[in-house]
Amino acid sequence: MIFFKQNGRDDMVRRFLFRGMAIVPLSLSVLFLSIWMFYKLPGVNNLDTVHFEWGSEREIQQLFRSFYRSNQPRSGQGMFYFGVLGNEVPKNYYELPAPFQPAFLELCKEVKNADVMKEYGAWMIQVIQNPRGGIEMQNMDYQRMVDLFRSSQLTEVIRYSHRMGADELDHIIKKMEEKSGESRDGYRWVWLGKNNLFHYYLSGIFSWKNDLRTKEGIPVKQKVVQVFPWTLAYTLPVLPIVVVGMYWLVLLFYENRWLMKSMDKVFMLTYAFPVFVIATAALIFFTSNRYGQISRIFPFPVFMSDGGEGLRSIYVRYLNALVLPMLLFGLRPMILFFRAFREKINEVVTMTPVPEYLVHIGMASRRFRISYLGRYLMVTIWSVLPGMFLAALSGSLMIEYIFNIPGLGRFYFDSVVEYDVASSVFLIFGFTVIQQLGHLISDVLIDYYLSSQSGRTKLT
Amino acid sequence: MKCCQLHFFAIIMMSLLFLTTSCQKESSSENTQILKIQVAQSPDILNPVISRTNVSRQIEELLYLPLAKFDEDENQWKPVLTEKFEIESSSDGGTVYKMTMHPDARWSDGQKIEVEDVVFTLKMGLNPYLESQSWANYIGLIDSVIIEEDELTILMLEPYILANEFIASLKPMPRHVFDEKDLFGDISFQSMKDFSFEEEKTERALESIAEDFNRYGNMTDWPEVISGPYSVDAWSADQFLRLISNPHFWGDHAVGHSEKWADKIDTIQYVFISDPQNALNAFSRGHVDIVHSLSEHNRSLIEKNDGVMIPVPSFQMLYISLNHRQPLLSQQKIRVALSHMIDREDLLKKLFAGNALVAEGPIHPMKPYFSPSDKTFDIDRAAEIFEELGCEEIDGVLHCPGNDGMIPMQFHLWTTQTSLSRNVATLLKSYWRKLGVHLTIQSADFRTFLPELQNKTYEMATLALHQNNLLDDPYPLWHSSQAGQAGKNYQGMNLDSIDVILENLRQAIEPQKQFELYMDLQEEFYKEEPVLFLVAPLDMIGVHQDLDLFLINQRPGYDLFQTKWKR
């Protein structure tokens, strides 16, 4: 990854540009993928009758109206600025509510006439958008209407439309029967313009209007600002302590082989345990009120967020309860840094002349340790930094879930589980961008250090 | 060297930070008038017209008072917001509700609560732009609304079983908050019902009012003007909601009311903890005083932490929905045989440690009009039925005659992802396997298999039935008209005998007639076994022993107005 070249600064600029340019397509791809996954989940595009109490006509009307609420994206909309449709499928397919789309698509395949299906689609949209008016119908039966819209075969359409008394629909059905098979096979590109889900979320993320709202109705950005201090509360103090602590531990005691080996064994053993096992065990055993003094040191954490507190307020009220999550959060980076530092030191010491020689030529042993070996460890820190940076910001999902901390990780988990698409998409995009930026900063730091005259001198 | 000093300085600072603040004492509700209640989820909205969750309804009871409340001792409706609340039969067979508001009744902003507020709420409930139309279904049954000298008369020509309950428990909303220009005053009740207006701008105005109304009561727009004894003090998403005693509550000073609310608890805090283990720990730390959804094995921990466990009715029943369009499950005898093969007592013992009741039919066993059946776990009887039908066992699988010859008794059972649902399915599998009936269990989120239920492409599904009202209107769940894709008759049931009873029951307003029809309905269910009812679990709650919880036979199982701290 690191190249020692005379023209290192040019190389750094090139890499910076390359990385910077990659952030945009990478982040947008992640955004698209997350939207795609949410809207292709089977539960999202259902006919949502869960809250029906009567199964009455009114409730179905309400369901119809909900498909076209102006302030929310429609799940049936296209995913991107353009889409691919079969030649037999009209473009207004994208305007239909998602629960009716699969049946409509099947019907298109049977009828094979995009023009007639366009008329049928337009009629459906008119009925759904304005169920009480605009449609001439003698017998408006909404239960039947739902069955009609979910009909995937022409025979079913004819059966359900029977005795509805909708002249326009009867006329369209007649055309469906007469003009079967006019569209040719194959597919075509369809331009959808801004009327697509990707554009909705992209503009929601970058606009100041707070269009993206959580399920509770509060703007996602506001919610992120609310939960952010909670994640920082247990991650921010831990990372510097872990990095600095391990840095000095290895640097000062790398010659003490017994200590290093013992620590290595202890860490290897600890590393074998998944964090969630340790976290759950700690939560259950330490905080269970069963272990006297230990349980008093680690009380069961019940964090109450008022929705607008800062770091200071959180520490004043909950620092005691945050100690255990901090310790558990610090465990993994501690092991990671220890191992990385130790490996690096071993490698450097093996490759460089013995310290005695350096002392002989005039370099003090303290300088050898701190300035010479320490610089190598610094490069290691910078290379691991982006991952740690993201961990600090996004929080440890498991720790927040287990300890009930209302931070970013918990918010993300709950959003995904609760089908809160706006919050999930916003967070996924945010984490992606943060990680990419972390890589960029890390690269710049390493490159800048390596290309600078003083850094190279000290490393070579 | 500088770098080294900086690192040490950072470590020392961090250590100091830990040491100086690591001895925080967390607040506890002890010795205060605060009552902290754990609930699994936060309310969707605090607006009785459009809220949908039970938690919302539970909290709304404290914020908004109803017109009248049913007194189980006197077996009649007693006025609450009203001074007079009378129910009479009209000469043409309909029902007339007459009421005047209590002269002292005031909104929390000091405005008088008037019958016009009731009429506004009725009209608003009919607004098709509201997020929920559940009230509109009931209000749509009203034929006329007349105000004469502060007396409101509501006429309902067509009888409906839940009409009394709906009208009496109606919680008026403050007209002056939403309709300053008195738009609703100019629109007749009938126009709202038909949703037909002479001017198009009226419809636009209604849409605009509905927009405000739909927001009213959500997290960012708490209900400020209320009629009840508590008001919202703080609400944090996914965390807690705090209610404090409403300082302007009219009932504190009104004659005939003040004694009801005299000893009410000052502050009620709902704490949202979805995970049962976290909730239990919160109880043991004194962070909550009432904790829900406990199991029998939590008893020792609850009792160790100054608590008692109390079973309260959840009015929930678990049942196996059977697709009546499946050739085998459409046969009554097969359904009956399958029912005989379920050891409900065993289910009760193994999954609920006895804290549940056997569910036998569509009426919850704790309802006064429940009628027990002579249903038994009788595997021999089931075997006899299969033999009568001409079923045969081939390679360990029972085959029964369908329309197209012998069909194997192998079914696919959907369950939700809760452990209870999956455990029920597993036990069921073990009972049925004895006679060669095989189940394939598949767990998924309810929304995932909902399309299967709507399209009637499933075979069996583990479902739960929730009941809430004083009376039941079982029509939406079992009537054949609800078997379409938008209906809740997921079974596709089309049984004439049951349809007729359901239709009559809907229109029965005489208690005696209602009772008879409920009996008939249960009898018919026991005969037909259209679905397989299993158990009615009780909700085990943990309560602080210093709390004098007033238990009632309605959700959530206790009345907070009459609950007091003993200390």
Side-chain angles (χ1 to χ4, degrees):
Chain A
M1 183 183 158
I2 300 164
F3 302 101
F4 295 87
K5 284 183 183 174
Q6 284 301 316
N7 59 346
R9 198 174 287 270
D10 297 339
D11 201 43
M12 183 192 87
V13 172
R14 209 175 302 131
R15 192 154 43 241
F16 178 79
L17 284 174
F18 176 75
R19 274 255 187 221
M21 280 161 64
I23 290 179
V24 177
L26 264 172
S27 306
L28 292 181
S29 308
V30 170
L31 175 67
F32 178 79
L33 274 175
S34 52
I35 294 169
W36 185 86
M37 280 195 288
F38 270 109
Y39 283 92
K40 292 296 167 190
L41 274 178
V44 175
N45 299 327
N46 280 350
L47 199 59
D48 189 0
T49 58
V50 174
H51 296 295
F52 279 19
E53 286 179 21
W54 277 48
S56 66
E57 300 281 288
R58 258 184 192 277
E59 284 169 325
I60 302 173
Q61 275 182 48
Q62 171 70 12
L63 180 75
F64 280 10
R65 201 170 278 114
S66 71
F67 291 135
Y68 290 99
R69 271 194 204 123
S70 56
N71 56 351
Q72 283 172 14
R74 281 186 302 101
S75 53
Q77 274 177 290
M79 289 279 156
F80 202 55
Y81 293 94
F82 52 83
V84 179
L85 280 180
N87 282 328
E88 70 280 3
V89 187
K91 192 180 164 184
N92 62 6
Y93 161 81
Y94 287 114
E95 291 167 42
L96 294 171
F100 300 143
Q101 281 180 330
F104 186 82
L105 211 57
E106 287 299 310
L107 200 60
C108 286
K109 284 178 191 163
E110 186 183 340
V111 174
K112 283 187 180 295
N113 190 317
D115 293 334
V116 177
M117 287 311 291
K118 187 181 170 186
E119 279 183 54
Y120 179 56
W123 184 83
M124 281 173 75
I125 293 162
Q126 204 183 344
V127 172
I128 296 164
Q129 279 182 331
N130 189 9
R132 294 178 72 104
I135 299 286
E136 294 281 329
M137 204 177 301
Q138 288 163 13
N139 184 16
M140 185 78 167
D141 179 341
Y142 287 93
Q143 290 270 10
R144 220 177 158 82
M145 200 65 80
V146 172
D147 291 334
L148 172 73
F149 293 162
R150 303 257 276 192
S151 301
S152 55
Q153 290 169 3
L154 194 50
T155 48
E156 283 178 5
V157 172
I158 293 166
R159 177 152 58 96
Y160 288 121
S161 63
H162 185 56
R163 273 190 266 159
M164 269 189 187
D167 293 339
E168 196 182 338
L169 177 64
D170 292 341
H171 186 63
I172 295 167
I173 291 173
K174 223 172 243 176
K175 281 190 194 172
M176 281 181 184
E177 288 174 305
E178 284 166 9
K179 296 188 177 176
S180 278
E182 282 201 353
S183 291
R184 64 186 190 285
D185 290 337
Y187 293 90
R188 69 184 195 283
W189 293 99
V190 183
W191 176 249
L192 301 173
K194 288 180 182 174
N195 193 16
N196 65 77
L197 291 167
F198 183 81
H199 183 83
Y200 173 83
Y201 284 104
L202 193 64
S203 54
I205 288 167
F206 288 105
S207 83
W208 296 104
K209 285 183 189 168
N210 284 329
D211 286 337
L212 296 185
R213 286 179 179 264
T214 64
K215 268 198 159 179
E216 294 107 14
I218 51 176
V220 176
K221 287 167 197 168
Q222 187 186 322
K223 174 89 180 180
V224 170
V225 172
Q226 277 175 20
V227 299
F228 193 43
W230 284 94
T231 296
L232 287 184
Y234 74 94
T235 55
L236 203 61
V238 172
L239 283 178
I241 290 177
V242 163
V243 176
V244 174
M246 289 300 109
Y247 179 88
W248 284 107
L249 181 85
V250 175
L251 209 57
L252 294 177
F253 298 104
Y254 76 92
E255 285 163 320
N256 187 337
R257 297 184 74 182
W258 176 84
L259 180 70
M260 288 292 114
K261 273 194 169 178
S262 306
M263 289 201 69
D264 213 17
K265 279 176 188 165
V266 171
F267 280 161
M268 277 287 274
L269 194 70
T270 321
Y271 199 67
F273 283 102
V275 167
F276 76 90
V277 172
I278 300 174
T280 315
L283 184 78
I284 294 168
F285 292 110
F286 288 173
T287 68
S288 63
N289 275 342
R290 292 171 190 158
Y291 293 92
Q293 188 56 33
I294 295 174
S295 294
R296 275 188 284 283
I297 295 170
F298 299 117
F300 181 80
V302 177
F303 301 105
M304 291 290 153
S305 164
D306 291 336
E309 56 273 280
L311 263 181
R312 190 177 170 279
S313 150
I314 294 171
Y315 283 138
V316 168
R317 288 158 61 198
Y318 297 113
L319 186 63
N320 201 22
L322 282 168
V323 171
L324 197 55
M326 280 180 188
L327 290 176
L328 290 163
F329 177 75
L331 200 63
R332 195 171 278 267
M334 191 163 72
I335 297 167
L336 180 77
F337 276 111
F338 175 79
R339 288 171 67 91
F341 288 161
R342 194 164 171 247
E343 291 288 325
K344 195 73 201 168
I345 287 271
N346 283 344
E347 184 193 325
V348 174
V349 169
T350 320
M351 288 169 64
T352 49
V354 284
E356 287 77 11
Y357 172 72
L358 292 171
V359 172
H360 177 72
I361 62 164
M363 184 186 275
S365 66
R366 189 183 177 82
R367 191 166 168 238
F368 168 74
R369 193 187 294 270
I370 295 169
S371 298
Y372 186 79
L373 294 180
R375 297 278 162 175
Y376 278 100
L377 297 196
M378 279 290 179
V379 174
T380 312
I381 291 176
W382 291 330
S383 62
V384 186
L385 208 63
M388 292 295 111
F389 185 50
L390 182 70
L393 288 181
S394 63
S396 168
L397 195 146
M398 277 180 292
I399 284 179
E400 286 190 9
Y401 190 73
I402 290 168
F403 286 92
N404 218 13
I405 300 171
L408 266 180
R410 172 89 192 277
F411 176 38
Y412 174 57
F413 179 83
D414 288 342
S415 312
V416 175
V417 170
E418 297 286 323
Y419 290 90
D420 188 344
V421 185
S423 305
S424 309
V425 166
F426 184 88
L427 290 175
I428 291 170
F429 184 77
F431 292 155
T432 310
V433 172
I434 287 166
Q435 189 169 26
Q436 295 304 312
L437 285 176
H439 279 303
L440 193 69
I441 294 165
S442 158
D443 267 17
V444 169
L445 279 172
I446 293 170
D447 280 0
Y448 182 77
Y449 184 74
L450 293 176
S451 64
S452 74
Q453 196 59 40
S454 61
R456 270 208 311 279
T457 311
K458 280 164 186 164
L459 284 167
T460 51
Chain B
M1 197 60 205
K2 260 186 181 177
C3 165
C4 164
Q5 282 171 347
L6 264 174
H7 286 176
F8 275 120
F9 181 72
I11 292 173
I12 287 165
M13 286 306 289
M14 287 297 175
S15 310
L16 277 175
L17 192 67
F18 275 117
L19 289 172
T20 50
T21 46
S22 62
C23 295
Q24 300 284 321
K25 180 81 186 161
E26 293 190 37
S27 64
S28 161
S29 61
E30 220 166 298
N31 300 324
T32 68
Q33 272 291 299
I34 299 175
L35 173 63
K36 292 181 178 175
I37 304 169
Q38 174 267 334
V39 284
Q41 55 171 160
S42 51
D44 53 346
I45 194 166
L46 295 177
N47 181 335
V49 184
I50 50 181
S51 64
R52 284 168 163 157
T53 60
N54 283 320
V55 182
S56 295
R57 283 169 195 162
Q58 197 177 327
I59 299 170
E60 282 157 8
E61 291 290 323
L62 306 172
L63 301 177
Y64 299 96
L65 289 181
L67 297 175
K69 206 167 181 182
F70 193 73
D71 188 319
E72 286 185 22
D73 297 331
E74 295 185 30
N75 203 25
Q76 60 171 323
W77 295 97
K78 289 272 191 176
V80 180
L81 264 185
T82 49
E83 187 179 40
K84 179 180 101 174
F85 185 84
E86 290 172 358
I87 305 171
E88 297 165 3
S89 295
S90 68
S91 52
D92 42 9
T95 313
V96 181
Y97 301 86
K98 289 188 173 174
M99 67 195 81
T100 54
M101 302 310 286
H102 194 288
D104 294 332
R106 296 282 186 284
W107 294 109
S108 52
D109 61 358
Q111 293 262 6
K112 208 173 171 197
I113 303 177
E114 296 170 311
V115 283
E116 282 79 3
D117 289 308
V118 181
V119 177
F120 161 78
T121 310
L122 290 173
K123 288 179 182 173
M124 185 54 115
L126 288 169
N127 191 332
Y129 294 104
L130 290 190
E131 294 274 344
S132 167
Q133 294 293 308
S134 59
W135 276 31
N137 294 314
Y138 298 96
I139 301 169
L141 298 172
I142 295 173
D143 289 283
S144 73
V145 172
I146 302 156
I147 299 175
E148 274 178 348
E149 293 177 2
D150 292 340
E151 185 182 83
L152 174 65
T153 305
I154 296 173
L155 173 66
M156 209 177 264
L157 286 176
E158 197 177 319
Y160 177 57
I161 186 169
L162 300 182
N164 291 359
E165 195 178 331
F166 173 73
I167 300 286
S169 59
L170 191 107
K171 297 177 179 74
M173 300 297 283
R175 179 178 58 119
H176 61 282
V177 171
F178 301 100
D179 192 17
E180 284 172 359
K181 293 176 188 165
D182 198 23
L183 173 76
F184 279 92
D186 300 332
I187 304 172
S188 72
F189 181 79
Q190 197 56 44
S191 302
M192 278 305 294
K193 220 175 133 181
D194 302 337
F195 207 67
S196 57
F197 312 102
E198 285 174 12
E199 294 180 59
E200 200 185 315
K201 68 175 184 188
T202 311
E203 195 172 332
R204 280 203 301 277
L206 285 173
E207 191 175 357
S208 159
I209 289 182
E211 257 178 50
D212 293 339
F213 198 82
N214 285 333
R215 273 198 303 271
Y216 192 73
N218 70 18
M219 252 198 64
T220 52
D221 191 8
W222 304 342
E224 300 268 338
V225 183
I226 38 122
S227 58
Y230 289 94
S231 58
V232 180
D233 177 53
W235 185 354
S236 175
D238 304 326
Q239 291 286 301
F240 70 93
L241 184 142
R242 190 164 54 237
L243 303 177
I244 53 166
S245 186
N246 172 8
H248 309 292
F249 178 49
W250 64 276
D252 285 338
H253 317 290
V255 179
H257 277 74
S258 53
E259 61 276 14
K260 273 191 226 168
W261 326 103
D263 297 326
K264 69 177 187 287
I265 290 163
D266 294 341
T267 307
I268 297 174
Q269 184 157 306
Y270 286 90
V271 183
F272 314 133
I273 308 175
S274 56
D275 180 62
Q277 192 58 40
N278 281 350
L280 194 64
N281 278 309
F283 183 86
S284 66
R285 295 288 308 169
H287 291 291
V288 290
D289 305 302
I290 298 177
V291 59
H292 289 88
S293 307
L294 297 175
S295 319
E296 191 52 38
H297 68 265
N298 301 136
R299 188 180 288 276
S300 62
L301 195 62
I302 290 287
E303 288 175 353
K304 193 183 151 197
N305 289 287
D306 305 329
V308 284
M309 291 247 293
I310 302 172
V312 292
S314 66
F315 291 107
Q316 186 192 36
M317 290 194 286
L318 300 181
Y319 67 98
I320 303 292
S321 174
L322 308 172
N323 183 359
H324 285 225
R325 295 182 191 168
Q326 204 274 353
L328 291 177
L329 299 176
S330 62
Q331 299 178 39
Q332 182 256 356
K333 284 190 172 175
I334 287 183
R335 296 196 300 263
V336 171
L338 290 175
S339 178
H340 276 304
M341 289 161 72
I342 302 171
D343 190 349
R344 291 173 174 83
E345 293 292 342
D346 183 57
L347 265 175
L348 219 102
K349 206 167 60 192
K350 282 186 177 150
L351 298 183
F352 301 94
N355 291 316
L357 302 165
V358 168
E360 301 182 90
I363 304 300
H364 192 277
M366 287 184 88
K367 296 259 178 171
Y369 42 87
F370 166 72
S371 155
S373 73
D374 52 2
K375 207 181 280 189
T376 50
F377 169 56
D378 190 346
I379 208 147
D380 296 332
R381 176 71 196 121
E384 274 173 33
I385 295 173
F386 286 135
E387 206 177 313
E388 282 168 25
L389 286 169
C391 303
E392 290 168 15
E393 195 171 312
I394 305 167
D395 298 333
V397 180
L398 195 70
H399 285 64
C400 287
N403 292 338
D404 304 319
M406 298 296 268
I407 305 172
M409 291 279 278
Q410 287 173 322
F411 303 107
H412 187 275
L413 173 68
W414 282 102
T415 74
T416 57
Q417 284 170 325
T418 61
S419 57
L420 177 63
S421 182
R422 281 180 293 178
N423 289 342
V424 165
T426 310
L427 280 177
L428 204 65
K429 185 173 177 158
S430 69
Y431 303 144
W432 287 356
R433 198 170 40 200
K434 289 172 189 163
L435 286 185
V437 179
H438 290 264
L439 276 184
T440 308
I441 301 167
Q442 189 171 354
S443 292
D445 179 31
F446 177 69
R447 289 161 61 132
T448 304
F449 65 85
L450 180 60
E452 302 274 341
L453 303 180
Q454 289 172 333
N455 297 330
K456 316 287 178 285
T457 49
Y458 74 110
E459 287 178 333
M460 292 183 183
T462 317
L463 297 181
L465 170 62
H466 298 266
Q467 296 177 332
N468 214 14
N469 305 71
L470 293 174
L471 293 170
D472 291 300
D473 175 16
Y475 184 97
L477 288 166
W478 317 115
H479 195 269
S480 59
S481 67
Q482 303 298 313
Q485 299 200 27
K488 284 208 155 175
N489 176 357
Y490 298 133
Q491 297 71 232
M493 270 169 66
N494 191 356
L495 302 167
D496 290 343
S497 56
I498 289 179
D499 277 359
V500 171
I501 297 170
L502 291 171
E503 285 156 21
N504 292 336
L505 187 58
R506 248 195 169 185
Q507 300 198 324
I509 48 170
E510 291 294 322
Q512 183 56 33
K513 182 77 180 159
Q514 288 168 355
F515 187 80
E516 284 168 14
L517 286 165
Y518 278 128
M519 292 294 139
D520 292 348
L521 180 71
Q522 290 170 88
E523 197 56 43
E524 208 56 39
F525 261 76
Y526 300 151
K527 199 174 88 189
E528 290 285 346
E529 294 281 5
V531 296
L532 306 175
F533 282 96
L534 304 171
V535 285
L538 297 168
D539 185 13
M540 295 298 290
I541 61 170
V543 182
H544 196 284
Q545 62 186 15
D546 287 349
L547 192 68
D548 187 8
L549 196 69
F550 191 87
L551 298 173
I552 52 170
N553 208 14
Q554 275 182 59
R555 274 188 185 170
Y558 48 84
D559 181 358
L560 289 178
F561 289 145
Q562 302 184 66
T563 293
K564 292 168 185 61
W565 280 110
K566 290 176 197 163
R567 55 186 181 234

